[in-house]
Amino acid sequence: AAMPNTHDTPEYETFRKLQVYESAVRAALEDGHISERQRRVLTSMIESMGIDAKVAEALENDARAALAG
């Protein structure tokens, strides 16, 4: 409704999934580490959204680097 000319292309859907996963990683890393429970949630997200494991790892590494400053 806010963007009536936006179409849900496969590329956009993939982009959004990666954004959601990255947000979850950043939230999990707020205290500097990922707990076992948080890891299970992230793993479930990877599997349910069909995110490539190497892409997920790269996003996590980028998030850690951003927090390190």
Side-chain angles (χ1 to χ4, degrees):
M3 297 175 59
N5 295 324
T6 301
H7 301 285
D8 285 341
T9 64
E11 293 83 7
Y12 180 73
E13 186 176 321
T14 298
F15 173 75
R16 287 296 297 144
K17 286 179 183 180
L18 295 177
Q19 280 187 317
V20 169
Y21 180 75
E22 181 181 25
S23 293
V25 168
R26 287 180 183 269
L29 285 169
E30 281 184 350
D31 63 356
H33 75 282
I34 296 175
S35 70
E36 288 182 34
R37 180 182 175 278
Q38 290 166 323
R39 175 62 61 199
R40 286 192 304 270
V41 170
L42 292 172
T43 299
S44 177
M45 290 177 74
I46 290 168
E47 293 170 358
S48 68
M49 292 192 287
I51 298 172
D52 181 81
K54 290 185 189 268
V55 172
E57 183 179 354
L59 288 171
E60 186 175 323
N61 290 338
D62 289 349
R64 285 183 191 279
L67 286 173

